[in-house]
Amino acid sequence: MGKTNTKSGSGGGGDKKGKGKEKAKPESASSAAGKGKATKSVSRVNSRHILCEKFSKKEEALEKIRNGVKFDDVAREYSEDKARHGGLVGWKQRTELDPVYAQVAFELEPSTSSSPKYAEAKTEHGYHIIMVEGRE
């Protein structure tokens, strides 16, 4: 299964293995819930992330993921957030997340830590690499 690399915010080069690029737009957040394969809207996502203050550190973490290191292992090593448990954010509703993060997370297809489909977002907290483990 291929890896998805969605860029959001500023910076960054292309991903040779990615399937395309999208820009997260907080103003279109209401339309994101209706996207996807299911006809019913998604009310919560179970996500993980890697949060880095510096772009260069985020790029190092991305390189590890691209080289096959499990997402949660990279999160333990690189993420600068308080909850360093493999980057686990947990089950959250859209309103519980930063709008830019939510836009990206609610559009991602679920995947596993060993074969992640991930996307990037830049928020006031820093650079995020996001993956979703479940949707409901």
Side-chain angles (χ1 to χ4, degrees):
M1 185 177 273
K3 295 176 183 161
T4 301
N5 184 8
T6 306
K7 299 282 185 189
S8 174
S10 62
D15 177 6
K16 295 176 185 174
K17 297 180 185 176
K19 292 184 179 179
K21 295 180 182 180
E22 296 177 19
K23 298 267 183 189
K25 297 178 185 173
E27 62 273 10
S28 65
S30 61
S31 65
K35 291 185 178 181
K37 297 177 184 175
T39 55
K40 78 174 202 177
S41 64
V42 176
S43 63
R44 297 188 321 155
V45 293
N46 185 18
S47 65
R48 291 184 182 270
H49 77 144
I50 300 166
L51 174 63
C52 300
E53 184 179 316
K54 294 186 178 181
F55 179 83
S56 59
K57 188 169 182 181
K58 184 258 316 173
E59 288 296 306
E60 287 178 34
L62 274 175
E63 191 61 30
K64 293 259 187 179
I65 293 168
R66 289 180 187 128
N67 288 330
V69 180
K70 288 178 64 176
F71 191 95
D72 53 340
D73 290 341
V74 177
R76 283 186 195 92
E77 182 179 349
Y78 284 88
S79 191
E80 298 169 354
D81 65 341
K82 294 175 186 172
R84 295 175 63 129
H85 304 287
L88 185 62
V89 175
W91 287 100
K92 300 288 183 188
Q93 295 179 0
R94 180 181 295 276
T95 56
E96 296 177 90
L97 298 167
D98 177 282
V100 175
Y101 184 103
Q103 174 72 26
V104 173
F106 275 78
E107 290 182 0
L108 273 170
E109 290 181 39
S111 61
T112 63
S113 183
S114 58
S115 183
K117 293 181 182 179
Y118 56 89
E120 298 175 53
K122 173 135 178 25
T123 70
E124 65 185 49
H125 306 288
Y127 297 92
H128 303 261
I129 305 168
I130 305 166
M131 70 162 284
V132 171
E133 294 184 311
R135 297 166 60 135
E136 59 180 29

PDB file of all heavy atoms in Angstrom, residues 116-130:
ATOM      1  N   PRO A 116       1.785   3.577   7.520  1.00  0.00           N
ATOM      2  CA  PRO A 116       0.937   4.766   7.695  1.00  0.00           C
ATOM      3  C   PRO A 116       0.628   5.518   6.408  1.00  0.00           C
ATOM      4  O   PRO A 116       1.446   5.608   5.505  1.00  0.00           O
ATOM      5  CB  PRO A 116       1.770   5.638   8.625  1.00  0.00           C
ATOM      6  CG  PRO A 116       3.182   5.287   8.284  1.00  0.00           C
ATOM      7  CD  PRO A 116       3.153   3.811   7.965  1.00  0.00           C
ATOM      8  N   LYS A 117      -0.593   6.056   6.371  1.00  0.00           N
ATOM      9  CA  LYS A 117      -0.964   7.077   5.402  1.00  0.00           C
ATOM     10  C   LYS A 117      -0.963   8.338   6.239  1.00  0.00           C
ATOM     11  O   LYS A 117      -1.689   8.438   7.213  1.00  0.00           O
ATOM     12  CB  LYS A 117      -2.351   6.810   4.826  1.00  0.00           C
ATOM     13  CG  LYS A 117      -2.409   5.566   3.979  1.00  0.00           C
ATOM     14  CD  LYS A 117      -3.782   5.371   3.418  1.00  0.00           C
ATOM     15  CE  LYS A 117      -3.848   4.103   2.603  1.00  0.00           C
ATOM     16  NZ  LYS A 117      -5.189   3.874   2.064  1.00  0.00           N
ATOM     17  N   TYR A 118      -0.129   9.270   5.875  1.00  0.00           N
ATOM     18  CA  TYR A 118       0.071  10.432   6.724  1.00  0.00           C
ATOM     19  C   TYR A 118      -0.056  11.719   5.929  1.00  0.00           C
ATOM     20  O   TYR A 118      -0.035  11.725   4.710  1.00  0.00           O
ATOM     21  CB  TYR A 118       1.434  10.374   7.411  1.00  0.00           C
ATOM     22  CG  TYR A 118       2.593  10.231   6.448  1.00  0.00           C
ATOM     23  CD1 TYR A 118       3.213  11.342   5.909  1.00  0.00           C
ATOM     24  CD2 TYR A 118       3.046   8.976   6.068  1.00  0.00           C
ATOM     25  CE1 TYR A 118       4.263  11.219   5.022  1.00  0.00           C
ATOM     26  CE2 TYR A 118       4.100   8.844   5.176  1.00  0.00           C
ATOM     27  CZ  TYR A 118       4.700   9.970   4.657  1.00  0.00           C
ATOM     28  OH  TYR A 118       5.736   9.842   3.769  1.00  0.00           O
ATOM     29  N   ALA A 119      -0.211  12.795   6.661  1.00  0.00           N
ATOM     30  CA  ALA A 119      -0.299  14.117   6.060  1.00  0.00           C
ATOM     31  C   ALA A 119       0.368  15.107   7.002  1.00  0.00           C
ATOM     32  O   ALA A 119       0.609  14.788   8.166  1.00  0.00           O
ATOM     33  CB  ALA A 119      -1.757  14.495   5.814  1.00  0.00           C
ATOM     34  N   GLU A 120       0.635  16.277   6.489  1.00  0.00           N
ATOM     35  CA  GLU A 120       1.297  17.301   7.289  1.00  0.00           C
ATOM     36  C   GLU A 120       0.397  18.512   7.458  1.00  0.00           C
ATOM     37  O   GLU A 120      -0.430  18.808   6.595  1.00  0.00           O
ATOM     38  CB  GLU A 120       2.575  17.752   6.596  1.00  0.00           C
ATOM     39  CG  GLU A 120       3.590  16.652   6.418  1.00  0.00           C
ATOM     40  CD  GLU A 120       4.782  17.138   5.622  1.00  0.00           C
ATOM     41  OE1 GLU A 120       5.373  18.174   5.987  1.00  0.00           O
ATOM     42  OE2 GLU A 120       5.103  16.489   4.628  1.00  0.00           O
ATOM     43  N   ALA A 121       0.591  19.192   8.576  1.00  0.00           N
ATOM     44  CA  ALA A 121      -0.114  20.442   8.834  1.00  0.00           C
ATOM     45  C   ALA A 121       0.794  21.342   9.646  1.00  0.00           C
ATOM     46  O   ALA A 121       1.591  20.877  10.453  1.00  0.00           O
ATOM     47  CB  ALA A 121      -1.410  20.184   9.592  1.00  0.00           C
ATOM     48  N   LYS A 122       0.679  22.636   9.423  1.00  0.00           N
ATOM     49  CA  LYS A 122       1.403  23.616  10.247  1.00  0.00           C
ATOM     50  C   LYS A 122       0.361  24.398  11.018  1.00  0.00           C
ATOM     51  O   LYS A 122      -0.548  24.974  10.439  1.00  0.00           O
ATOM     52  CB  LYS A 122       2.230  24.561   9.380  1.00  0.00           C
ATOM     53  CG  LYS A 122       2.842  25.699  10.207  1.00  0.00           C
ATOM     54  CD  LYS A 122       4.254  25.936   9.881  1.00  0.00           C
ATOM     55  CE  LYS A 122       4.928  27.063  10.603  1.00  0.00           C
ATOM     56  NZ  LYS A 122       4.441  27.495  11.867  1.00  0.00           N
ATOM     57  N   THR A 123       0.491  24.376  12.345  1.00  0.00           N
ATOM     58  CA  THR A 123      -0.412  25.126  13.215  1.00  0.00           C
ATOM     59  C   THR A 123       0.429  26.065  14.077  1.00  0.00           C
ATOM     60  O   THR A 123       1.663  26.067  13.992  1.00  0.00           O
ATOM     61  CB  THR A 123      -1.215  24.195  14.143  1.00  0.00           C
ATOM     62  OG1 THR A 123      -0.332  23.616  15.112  1.00  0.00           O
ATOM     63  CG2 THR A 123      -1.929  23.100  13.363  1.00  0.00           C
ATOM     64  N   GLU A 124      -0.218  26.802  14.947  1.00  0.00           N
ATOM     65  CA  GLU A 124       0.509  27.680  15.859  1.00  0.00           C
ATOM     66  C   GLU A 124       1.383  26.883  16.827  1.00  0.00           C
ATOM     67  O   GLU A 124       2.293  27.423  17.435  1.00  0.00           O
ATOM     68  CB  GLU A 124      -0.464  28.559  16.646  1.00  0.00           C
ATOM     69  CG  GLU A 124      -1.370  27.782  17.576  1.00  0.00           C
ATOM     70  CD  GLU A 124      -2.410  28.643  18.263  1.00  0.00           C
ATOM     71  OE1 GLU A 124      -3.091  29.416  17.574  1.00  0.00           O
ATOM     72  OE2 GLU A 124      -2.510  28.542  19.494  1.00  0.00           O
ATOM     73  N   HIS A 125       1.123  25.584  16.942  1.00  0.00           N
ATOM     74  CA  HIS A 125       1.898  24.718  17.844  1.00  0.00           C
ATOM     75  C   HIS A 125       3.174  24.194  17.191  1.00  0.00           C
ATOM     76  O   HIS A 125       4.075  23.740  17.879  1.00  0.00           O
ATOM     77  CB  HIS A 125       1.043  23.542  18.315  1.00  0.00           C
ATOM     78  CG  HIS A 125      -0.251  23.975  18.926  1.00  0.00           C
ATOM     79  ND1 HIS A 125      -0.327  24.581  20.157  1.00  0.00           N
ATOM     80  CD2 HIS A 125      -1.513  23.915  18.454  1.00  0.00           C
ATOM     81  CE1 HIS A 125      -1.593  24.866  20.418  1.00  0.00           C
ATOM     82  NE2 HIS A 125      -2.323  24.481  19.400  1.00  0.00           N
ATOM     83  N   GLY A 126       3.221  24.209  15.861  1.00  0.00           N
ATOM     84  CA  GLY A 126       4.386  23.723  15.147  1.00  0.00           C
ATOM     85  C   GLY A 126       3.992  22.912  13.928  1.00  0.00           C
ATOM     86  O   GLY A 126       2.888  23.030  13.397  1.00  0.00           O
ATOM     87  N   TYR A 127       4.908  22.052  13.496  1.00  0.00           N
ATOM     88  CA  TYR A 127       4.714  21.204  12.331  1.00  0.00           C
ATOM     89  C   TYR A 127       4.224  19.841  12.791  1.00  0.00           C
ATOM     90  O   TYR A 127       4.854  19.200  13.632  1.00  0.00           O
ATOM     91  CB  TYR A 127       6.021  21.044  11.557  1.00  0.00           C
ATOM     92  CG  TYR A 127       6.536  22.347  10.994  1.00  0.00           C
ATOM     93  CD1 TYR A 127       7.427  23.127  11.721  1.00  0.00           C
ATOM     94  CD2 TYR A 127       6.116  22.790   9.744  1.00  0.00           C
ATOM     95  CE1 TYR A 127       7.897  24.326  11.203  1.00  0.00           C
ATOM     96  CE2 TYR A 127       6.585  23.998   9.228  1.00  0.00           C
ATOM     97  CZ  TYR A 127       7.476  24.742   9.961  1.00  0.00           C
ATOM     98  OH  TYR A 127       7.932  25.939   9.461  1.00  0.00           O
ATOM     99  N   HIS A 128       3.119  19.386  12.233  1.00  0.00           N
ATOM    100  CA  HIS A 128       2.534  18.088  12.583  1.00  0.00           C
ATOM    101  C   HIS A 128       2.658  17.135  11.417  1.00  0.00           C
ATOM    102  O   HIS A 128       2.428  17.509  10.276  1.00  0.00           O
ATOM    103  CB  HIS A 128       1.029  18.223  12.884  1.00  0.00           C
ATOM    104  CG  HIS A 128       0.675  19.170  13.961  1.00  0.00           C
ATOM    105  ND1 HIS A 128       0.408  18.765  15.244  1.00  0.00           N
ATOM    106  CD2 HIS A 128       0.521  20.518  13.958  1.00  0.00           C
ATOM    107  CE1 HIS A 128       0.095  19.817  15.977  1.00  0.00           C
ATOM    108  NE2 HIS A 128       0.169  20.887  15.216  1.00  0.00           N
ATOM    109  N   ILE A 129       2.969  15.885  11.733  1.00  0.00           N
ATOM    110  CA  ILE A 129       2.809  14.782  10.798  1.00  0.00           C
ATOM    111  C   ILE A 129       1.679  13.967  11.413  1.00  0.00           C
ATOM    112  O   ILE A 129       1.773  13.550  12.572  1.00  0.00           O
ATOM    113  CB  ILE A 129       4.085  13.925  10.668  1.00  0.00           C
ATOM    114  CG1 ILE A 129       5.287  14.795  10.301  1.00  0.00           C
ATOM    115  CG2 ILE A 129       3.879  12.814   9.632  1.00  0.00           C
ATOM    116  CD1 ILE A 129       6.629  14.083  10.444  1.00  0.00           C
ATOM    117  N   ILE A 130       0.612  13.770  10.675  1.00  0.00           N
ATOM    118  CA  ILE A 130      -0.621  13.197  11.234  1.00  0.00           C
ATOM    119  C   ILE A 130      -0.957  11.896  10.537  1.00  0.00           C
ATOM    120  O   ILE A 130      -0.834  11.777   9.315  1.00  0.00           O
ATOM    121  CB  ILE A 130      -1.802  14.182  11.037  1.00  0.00           C
ATOM    122  CG1 ILE A 130      -1.471  15.540  11.643  1.00  0.00           C
ATOM    123  CG2 ILE A 130      -3.099  13.609  11.603  1.00  0.00           C
ATOM    124  CD1 ILE A 130      -2.405  16.658  11.208  1.00  0.00           C
TER     125      ILE A 130
END
